[in-house]
Amino acid sequence: MNDREYVVLSARVHPGESNASWIMKGVINFLISDNEKAQQLRSKFIFKIIPMLNPDGVINGSHRCSLLGVDMNRQWINPHPNLYPTLYNTKGLIQLLVALGKRPVLYCDFHGHSRKKNVFMYGNITQPSENATVKLLPTILDIHAPAFSFSNCCFTVEKSRESTARVALWRQFGITRSYTLESSYCGLIRAFTRGVSWERNIWRRWALSSVRGYSLCHLLINLAVLVMILMKTRTVISLLIVTTRRTMTIRVRDEVR
């Protein structure tokens, strides 16, 4: 237990984004399955999963807000323990992990998007040196997951997003790989999936597998394994990511500190 790294996943802070729940269902079903890869993941990592951050809003049919009429994804900097207990306790969990020297190697918050097509991510980059680390996971997804589009991703940190989970947890706890995963309400425009409309089984299957046999879980953990290896071997990362439709080269330069 002490040797395993932590991955934190959350979803449904916006009640109307039900596609996030179907992707989360696919992730959970895979992680608790007898699949050999799932068993390997459970032996190497501890997953902390919050599948529904805004259950009151979901039950009462809200689209974006809580029962207070507030967008909960703008309350992460200092959430009130009584008004936003799910946010307060999620942050408390992460704060405890950091205090124990177990900062999560990955945080990902699942959302739905009402305008853009495809599946894509938001991340945090403020320095050129962060490019390779933050963009690695979206790059892998772009290559192997037909529904994912790197061109739709964004890595700027806007002032209006400072109080979102992605930015607040990155700033306060130093989680470099802190992402928002967005899946379209509408459909896909990638070459292999052009014109396909979303429905719940597609969302769920996308989390489990793609036409090339890769799953969201596999890809997340490929990144986490790489990060863990680099951390334990005390290497300095110099990643050159060369992408085409089918290939990616990652060059890692080791330097003794």
Side-chain angles (χ1 to χ4, degrees):
M1 289 286 287
N2 291 334
D3 293 333
R4 288 190 282 177
E5 300 289 339
Y6 283 81
V7 173
V8 180
L9 307 175
S10 63
R12 212 65 185 274
V13 70
H14 292 146
E17 298 171 1
S18 55
N19 40 347
S21 284
W22 286 108
I23 291 179
M24 180 64 82
K25 178 176 173 60
V27 170
I28 293 173
N29 285 350
F30 177 81
L31 290 175
I32 64 175
S33 71
D34 294 328
N35 183 285
E36 181 181 354
K37 290 289 186 181
Q39 295 177 14
Q40 292 175 6
L41 300 184
R42 295 195 299 267
S43 69
K44 295 179 182 298
F45 299 92
I46 297 175
F47 290 85
K48 296 296 185 180
I49 298 176
I50 306 94
M52 190 172 289
L53 286 165
N54 191 352
D56 293 344
V58 171
I59 292 170
N60 286 275
S62 299
H63 176 67
R64 192 172 180 84
C65 298
S66 65
L67 291 185
L68 295 174
V70 174
D71 183 345
M72 289 176 57
N73 202 35
R74 298 296 185 274
Q75 305 297 323
W76 281 93
I77 292 178
N78 187 28
H80 192 283
N82 295 328
L83 300 181
Y84 314 108
T86 55
L87 308 190
Y88 179 84
N89 286 287
T90 299
K91 284 194 69 176
L93 168 64
I94 295 174
Q95 184 175 8
L96 175 62
L97 293 177
V98 172
L100 294 174
K102 289 291 186 178
R103 178 180 287 104
V105 295
L106 179 70
Y107 172 76
C108 192
D109 191 27
F110 297 177
H111 284 252
H113 204 283
S114 61
R115 297 186 303 277
K116 289 185 178 181
K117 300 291 184 67
N118 305 314
V119 180
F120 53 95
M121 279 179 153
Y122 294 129
N124 309 298
I125 293 178
T126 56
Q127 301 293 333
S129 60
E130 299 168 342
N131 268 297
T133 302
V134 176
K135 290 183 178 180
L136 179 58
L137 174 59
T139 299
I140 297 173
L141 284 168
D142 185 69
I143 294 168
H144 294 296
F148 192 88
S149 172
F150 185 87
S151 63
N152 288 132
C153 295
C154 181
F155 303 96
T156 59
V157 182
E158 300 174 353
K159 186 176 181 180
S160 61
R161 300 293 189 269
E162 286 288 340
S163 55
T164 63
R166 163 179 65 96
V167 179
L169 299 182
W170 163 66
R171 286 204 188 279
Q172 294 182 22
F173 301 119
I175 304 174
T176 305
R177 298 156 204 88
S178 180
Y179 299 100
T180 299
L181 176 72
E182 297 276 3
S183 57
S184 175
Y185 283 8
C186 308
L188 309 172
I189 56 175
R190 289 293 300 269
F192 294 110
T193 52
R194 188 181 303 276
V196 174
S197 296
W198 285 109
E199 51 94 9
R200 65 185 185 184
N201 288 326
I202 291 179
W203 282 318
R204 185 171 54 198
R205 288 200 302 270
W206 185 83
L208 289 170
S209 63
S210 74
V211 295
R212 296 184 184 177
Y214 283 82
S215 74
L216 173 62
C217 295
H218 293 172
L219 294 167
L220 291 174
I221 298 311
N222 284 340
L223 172 67
V225 169
L226 175 62
V227 170
M228 185 172 65
I229 291 172
L230 292 170
M231 289 170 61
K232 289 191 174 181
T233 56
R234 296 175 62 82
T235 60
V236 175
I237 307 173
S238 176
L239 293 173
L240 173 62
I241 303 175
V242 181
T243 61
T244 64
R245 295 190 65 82
R246 296 186 178 182
T247 63
M248 179 179 69
T249 302
I250 303 175
R251 298 176 181 175
V252 181
R253 184 183 76 248
D254 292 343
E255 295 181 1
V256 180
R257 293 182 179 177

